[in-house]
Amino acid sequence: MKSTALAIAGAALFGFSGPAAAQNAGACLITKTDINPFFVKMKEGATAKAQELGVQLSTYAGKVDGDHETQVQAIETCIASGAKGILIAASDTKAIVPVVQKARDAGLLVIALDTPLEPIDAADATFATDNFKAGELIGKWAAATLGDEAQNAKIAMLDLTPSQPSVDVLRDQGFMTGFGIDAKDANVIGDEDDPRIVGHDITNGNEEGGRKAMENLLQRDPEINVVYTINEPAAAGAYEALQSFGKTDVLIVSVDGGCPGVQNVKEGIIGATSQQYPLLMASLGIEAIAKFAETGEKPKPTEGLDFFDTGVNLVTDKPVEGVESINSEEGLARCWG
């Protein structure tokens, strides 16, 4: 589904009557970091919509990806401030649940952005990419690109954090499923026994982490020829490590679809990426909080799903049969709606 259509659907879904009704309603946006471009764009979307609707927005972020304690403190602050709602991209999707429940018990609407809580109904709603589908798309593309050689692939899996938040698991397992690998327990990273998987390593979702993880796995097997990465900063770091090892023919796939990442697709650094729409997630989240403040109504999920799907598109300049995609020019025009 295209992001413009989702934006129209979102407007119809929330049916907000105007800025006056939301005046002085408070909202909090809590992201994993304020450095990753994905969360920078999410903050832009929330800020613009809050200004439009007259919502008083406060923003918080972890010091690094995985900084759970700072997010807990941010929720406590939001409860104390009398905010009407919280938008959160949680670093630890299980450990955050008790303080999220405390916020809900205090009457706040809590919406998970991008990263579902565990269980998903620990939040009042989730606005997210279908992260399993995002992983599945790049897995299918990689397998189709390799053709018969997919059976002999040597794959490095560059994941997020040791706590295995839901977004990490979904993308990882989606990729393996798309590639044709038995992922075993769909809720756990690293329990598969397919010999094509060289190993998993942690990136913390940043360039330095991607570089170190790639170096570690290349030491395990220098013949790696496919690299899955949790996001595009990690992919950029992996590419640097591969270059330093003199490996120029490795297939790198990723998820996010940010402007730098799509530019890397255009330049041939990343073969394909799944594009998300964080600005849309955040702006719809602010609309939902404004609606809740006005009427007490909570948002509903997309029909047939347990979350509101904000869309995903595969971006590549080397399309393959059977996997729908857009090219890098269209991806650059869309990043990060």
Side-chain angles (χ1 to χ4, degrees):
M1 189 180 294
K2 306 304 184 187
S3 60
T4 50
L6 280 162
I8 295 169
L13 173 66
F14 299 120
F16 188 65
S17 61
Q23 198 68 41
N24 298 321
C28 296
L29 171 68
I30 305 170
T31 55
K32 297 177 186 179
T33 74
D34 57 7
I35 298 172
N36 187 316
F38 184 85
F39 299 115
V40 171
K41 184 59 67 171
M42 189 176 276
K43 183 176 177 179
E44 287 178 14
T47 300
K49 184 58 69 172
Q51 290 174 347
E52 176 188 334
L53 297 180
V55 172
Q56 305 300 308
L57 179 66
S58 299
T59 62
Y60 307 86
K63 299 177 182 68
V64 295
D65 210 322
D67 181 5
H68 167 69
E69 289 304 322
T70 296
Q71 291 195 320
V72 170
Q73 293 165 14
I75 292 175
E76 296 279 9
T77 300
C78 294
I79 295 170
S81 74
K84 292 294 185 181
I86 295 171
L87 306 176
I88 182 167
S91 287
D92 190 323
T93 47
K94 299 184 185 77
I96 202 73
V97 168
V99 73
V100 165
Q101 186 59 52
K102 182 177 179 180
R104 294 176 71 188
D105 290 345
L108 282 74
L109 179 73
V110 180
I111 298 175
L113 298 183
D114 178 55
T115 305
L117 302 188
E118 298 177 73
I120 193 167
D121 62 2
D124 291 295
T126 301
F127 293 168
T129 306
D130 185 333
N131 280 295
F132 186 90
K133 181 179 179 181
E136 189 176 30
L137 284 170
I138 55 175
K140 287 181 176 179
W141 179 88
T145 298
L146 290 175
D148 292 341
E149 284 305 305
Q151 295 304 313
N152 304 313
K154 294 191 174 184
I155 306 170
M157 302 291 295
L158 273 58
D159 297 307
L160 187 57
T161 63
S163 67
Q164 299 190 11
S166 57
V167 65
D168 200 8
V169 175
L170 289 165
R171 293 180 187 182
D172 177 294
Q173 304 290 277
F175 168 82
M176 285 193 283
T177 300
F179 199 89
I181 292 169
D182 182 357
K184 301 298 182 182
D185 185 340
N187 298 309
V188 177
I189 288 175
D191 67 336
E192 69 284 342
D193 55 12
D194 193 301
R196 291 175 289 180
I197 302 295
V198 171
H200 297 255
D201 210 327
I202 298 303
T203 68
N204 290 312
N206 60 50
E207 192 168 329
E208 180 183 0
R211 183 168 54 250
K212 289 181 178 178
M214 190 73 254
E215 290 171 352
N216 292 341
L217 292 174
L218 282 168
Q219 289 171 6
R220 186 178 301 182
D221 189 338
E223 300 304 314
I224 288 168
N225 62 355
V226 178
V227 179
Y228 155 86
T229 63
I230 179 67
N231 64 9
E232 292 152 3
Y239 177 78
E240 291 175 10
L242 289 163
Q243 293 294 297
S244 72
F245 276 71
K247 296 184 68 64
T248 59
D249 58 350
V250 176
L251 205 60
I252 301 176
V253 294
S254 197
V255 179
D256 268 356
C259 298
V262 177
Q263 184 63 35
N264 281 346
V265 171
K266 186 175 182 179
E267 294 174 7
I269 294 169
I270 297 174
T273 192
S274 288
Q275 187 170 62
Q276 314 185 81
Y277 302 101
L279 190 149
L280 180 64
M281 292 177 201
S283 61
L284 289 179
I286 292 296
E287 286 185 8
I289 290 173
K291 182 69 173 178
F292 177 74
E294 180 188 4
T295 69
E297 181 181 344
K298 297 181 179 181
K300 296 178 175 60
T302 299
E303 186 175 355
L305 299 174
D306 53 5
F307 64 97
F308 186 89
D309 186 356
T310 52
V312 63
N313 285 297
L314 183 73
V315 182
T316 183
D317 287 331
K318 298 178 180 178
V320 296
E321 186 175 353
V323 186
E324 186 177 353
S325 63
I326 60 177
N327 62 29
S328 62
E329 289 300 323
E330 187 171 355
L332 286 168
R334 288 168 177 253
C335 62
W336 246 335

